[in-house]
Amino acid sequence: MATRIDPTQPQPPRVLVVDDEPHIAHVIALSMSRAGYRTAMANDGNAGIQMARAARPDLIITDHQMPYVTGLDMCRQMMRDPELAGIPAIMVTARGYALSPLEMDEALIVELVTKPFSPRMLVKLAGEVLEATTPRLRKAS
């Protein structure tokens, strides 16, 4: 029997994972799914923008270095798009690439994580970012 979705109940946050390395994207998406998040995946920045339009994520976890459109450029483009602006991002990078505070602000990148990373730590960080940035997840004061 199929599980019915109750439209009166809030849905878990959706996390969009954008990485050109399929095994890394899969590990991140699987970790997020196991933690109770809904997930979507894309394999480059262009696909990430299209998937963000379709999936309406609450958070993006993206690699920095990808073909065609980097994670940074993808986030910048999304911030200029009224339909996608305001979605926070966590950026993972294989090298110790540092972004300036201005670059992070203009792309709404709230955290930088260096590969290799702990999937458990990334899930915890995602939860912290979502709690801080998503009104429906904030605890009542």
Side-chain angles (χ1 to χ4, degrees), residues 65-130:
Q65 293 179 303
M66 294 184 290
Y68 313 115
V69 175
T70 69
L72 178 59
D73 288 337
M74 176 190 73
C75 291
R76 283 178 175 151
Q77 287 180 35
M78 290 174 63
M79 283 298 291
R80 290 189 298 263
D81 184 331
E83 198 176 318
L84 303 175
I87 302 170
I90 296 172
M91 181 169 288
V92 293
T93 179
R95 59 184 176 133
Y97 186 80
L99 296 177
S100 73
L102 178 62
E103 288 174 309
M104 290 179 70
D105 285 347
E106 71 185 12
L108 200 55
I109 296 166
V110 294
E111 294 287 342
L112 271 177
V113 176
T114 303
K115 295 177 186 178
F117 56 86
S118 158
R120 186 176 308 174
M121 178 276 306
L122 197 55
V123 167
K124 181 178 184 290
L125 185 58
E128 291 168 359
V129 169
L130 285 163

